[in-house]
């Protein structure tokens, strides 16, 4: 492998681009080239103390939480670092049968959109909330790429508490990026679309892409105390594809930067059509100036139709609000708000160093990594060093903003992060390596092979003012022989690398859930002490909560609805015998967990339910909806092992034919409750 890579690095730039594609196939397809025995021993060996470096003794805790996006599973996976232990899967955009998220009556509304109930999405980018440019451990923001949405996860409960749909967007990939004090979370669209300016996309011939299609950048205001999101305004931008973004720091903290590709505005066969121009663009937006323009009345208003879903803290019930308008700005009407910087064609990552001076752009097909200077950009703007304009947006001259180029870094640069010690680390997809280079002289000083085809990488705090420069996680796209085979579908591979010294050291391989695209990590002591252990029963304001067993009830409402208000506590449910339900009834089991102790959830499931179980945290109430389709006796039980008598935590529902005269009765133990009249 090293021989092949060396040849490609020495090749002429144009030839290197063609050879890179072939190299990817060779390196991904021929696993014997790089550690075909599954250990990678032919290229690198783990240091003798690697095992001790990642060992977390029984009963001890990891140094860091890491949050890896799930990609096509629509969830977030939480791992401990350095152990690589999976701690939790947080359901966000996808129904989760394990705990009933998206199935329970309380959580269904979280997945409402203008397209209806959408129980899946493609989650790419987690971003931690910030205070003074540092991660603060309060919230995690994540994007839904397919049906454009931004979600907020509360890190006291590790639960999704808010999801906002993004109008005028398609492929919400360039998202979500918080400013340094969470003033805004910013989201850009990957796919430009023809906007009809009436709240949707227009019915436009696809060959009219260049004339009719536009992109959008959304500015979502965040409440500094509660975290609640509100779409403040959008900027309608040229019809490029907006890939990734990152905000500035220090001198550049008023700015946010976006990589764009398809400056050709090609609408078909983009692997060719979007690679015609020698360069694409880095878009620089002054978000503070944009907010000022919006506040001062520059923003126009258009109809919209998008959903905003929020989970109530005390009832644990999600509610949807439909928003009907959105404000927008046009760059050509807002001088000084937006500029374009020429960048290598098909750029992916844009990463700003901890000082806020350097903007690093990774062009997937480039043979060098350009490093732009923020101070030079400011000077170029002042001196009007422009090379024309696009849609009324000034284009700065490449040489006027360029600080340096990192030469011969590797093949297929994608993404860069920083260790806070003057070093940058860039992932190389084609040559399957992480490359370390210095910000002082832009020279490569170290390389680490990874297996295989690394996409994003993550250094804890590597996108902030003060990185935690001890570890790097490489998220690899190809697994091949790294683990025991599991049929055609394999887990993705992540690798933990020690970056505390001059030379990188490989510490650990660990499989990941679904397909991580990006990750964040934070010191455990900023999150763990605030973790909620149980919900206080006296603060539960769910309308069907039952806070003591004596208040349990079963009532018929009208002809076809039966409400069961049930309690669960080790090791029984009240009631556990129910009669009088009829075929075709809609039965709501409102189950309240009476426990007031940590790590004692109760589950609830009934035979034949066409949804999922529901998992009820201590002190909370959750609802399972059930429509029996035939007469008989149906068991129900607790699904989460809670005590030595867990197996005994069960009961029965008798279902009689439609129209039968069996009255509603219920009991726990021998005493049967008297029939209850139908509620009006």
């Amino acid at each position: 492998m090293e021989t092949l890579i060396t040849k490609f690095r020495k090749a002429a730039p144009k030839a290197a681009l063609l050879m890179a594609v072939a190299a990817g196939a060779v390196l991904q397809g021929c696993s014997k080239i790089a550690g075909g025995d599954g250990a990678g021993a032919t290229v690198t060996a783990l240091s003798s103390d690697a095992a001790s470096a990642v060992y977390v003794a029984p009963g001890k805790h990891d140094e860091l939480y890491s949050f890896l996006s799930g990609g096509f599973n629509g969830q977030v996976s939480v791992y401990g670092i350095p152990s690589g232990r999976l701690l939790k899967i947080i359901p966000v955009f996808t129904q989760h049968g394990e705990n009933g998220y998206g199935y329970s009556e309380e959580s269904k509304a979280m997945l409402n959109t203008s397209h209806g109930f959408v129980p899946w999405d493609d989650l790419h980018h987690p971003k931690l909330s910030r205070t003074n440019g540092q991660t603060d451990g309060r919230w995690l923001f994540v994007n839904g790429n397919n049906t454009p949405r931004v979600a907020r996860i509360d890190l006291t409960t590790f639960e999704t508490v808010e999801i906002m749909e993004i109008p005028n967007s398609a492929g919400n990939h360039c998202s979500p990026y918080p400013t340094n004090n969470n003033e805004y979370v910013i989201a850009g669209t990957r796919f430009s679309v023809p906007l009809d300016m009436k709240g949707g996309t227009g019915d436009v011939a696809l060959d009219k892409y260049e004339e009719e299609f536009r992109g959008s950048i959304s500015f979502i205001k965040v409440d500094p105390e509660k975290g609640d999101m509100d779409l403040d305004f959008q900027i309608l931008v040229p019809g490029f594809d907006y890939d990734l973004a990152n905000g500035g720091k220090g001198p550049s903290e008023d700015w946010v930067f976006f990589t764009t590709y398809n400056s050709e505005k090609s609408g078909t066969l983009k692997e060719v059509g979007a690679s015609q121009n020698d360069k694409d663009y880095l878009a620089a937006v002054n978000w503070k100036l944009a907010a000022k323009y919006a506040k001062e009345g520059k923003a126009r208003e258009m109809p919209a139709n998008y959903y905003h879903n929020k989970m109530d803290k005390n009832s644990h019930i999600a509610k949807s609000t439909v928003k009907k308008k959105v404000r927008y700005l046009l760059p050509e009407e807002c001088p000084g708000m937006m500029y374009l910087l020429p960048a290598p064609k098909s750029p992916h990552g844009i990463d700003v160093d901890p000082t806020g001076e350097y903007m690093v752009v990774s062009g997937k097909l480039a043979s060098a990594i350009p490093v732009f200077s923020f101070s030079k950009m400011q000077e170029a703007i002042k001196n009007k060093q422009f090379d024309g304009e696009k849609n009324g947006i000034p284009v700065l001259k490449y040489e006027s903003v360029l600080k340096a180029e990192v030469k011969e870094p590797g093949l297929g640069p994608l993404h860069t992060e920083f260790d806070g010690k003057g070093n940058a680390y860039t992932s190389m997809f084609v040559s399957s390596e992480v490359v370390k280079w210095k910000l002082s002289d832009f020279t490569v000083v170290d390389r680490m092979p990874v297996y295989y085809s690394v996409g994003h990488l993550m250094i804890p705090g590597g996108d902030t003012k003060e990185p935690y420069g001890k570890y790097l996680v490489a998220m690899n796209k190809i697994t091949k022989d790294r683990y025991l085979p599991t049929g055609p579908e394999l887990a993705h591979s992540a690798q933990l690398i020690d970056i505390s010294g001059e030379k990188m050291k490989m510490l650990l391989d660990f499989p990941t859930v679904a397909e991580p695209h990006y990750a964040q990590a934070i010191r455990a002591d900023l999150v763990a002490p605030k973790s909620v252990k149980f919900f206080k029963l006296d603060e539960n304001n769910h309308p069907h909560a039952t806070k003591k067993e004596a208040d349990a009830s079963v009532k018929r409402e009208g002809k076809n609805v039966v409400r069961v208000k049930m309690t669960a506590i080790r090791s029984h449910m009240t009631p556990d015998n129910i009669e009088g339900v009829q075929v075709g009834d809609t039965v709501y089991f409102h189950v309240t967990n009476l426990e007031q102790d940590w790590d004692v959830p109760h589950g609830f499931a009934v035979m034949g339910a066409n949804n999922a179980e529901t998992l009820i945290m201590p002190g909370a109430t959750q609802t399972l909806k059930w429509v029996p389709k035939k007469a008989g006796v149906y068991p129900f039980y607790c699904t989460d092992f809670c005590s030595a008598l867990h197996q005994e935590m069960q009961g029965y529902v008798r279902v009689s034919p439609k129209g039968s005269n069996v009255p509603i009765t219920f009991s726990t133990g021998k005493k049967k409750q008297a029939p209850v009249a139908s509620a009006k």
Side-chain angles (χ1 to χ4, degrees), residues 491-508:
H492 278 66
S493 161
Q495 293 182 296
L496 182 69
I497 298 169
D498 180 349
I499 59 169
S500 61
E502 289 188 13
K503 293 293 184 181
M504 292 181 278
K505 297 179 182 178
M506 183 66 71
L507 296 178
L508 179 71

Side-chain angles (χ1 to χ4, degrees), residues 458-469:
M458 179 273 292
I459 294 171
D463 58 344
T464 69
K465 289 182 178 180
E466 297 178 13
Y468 188 78

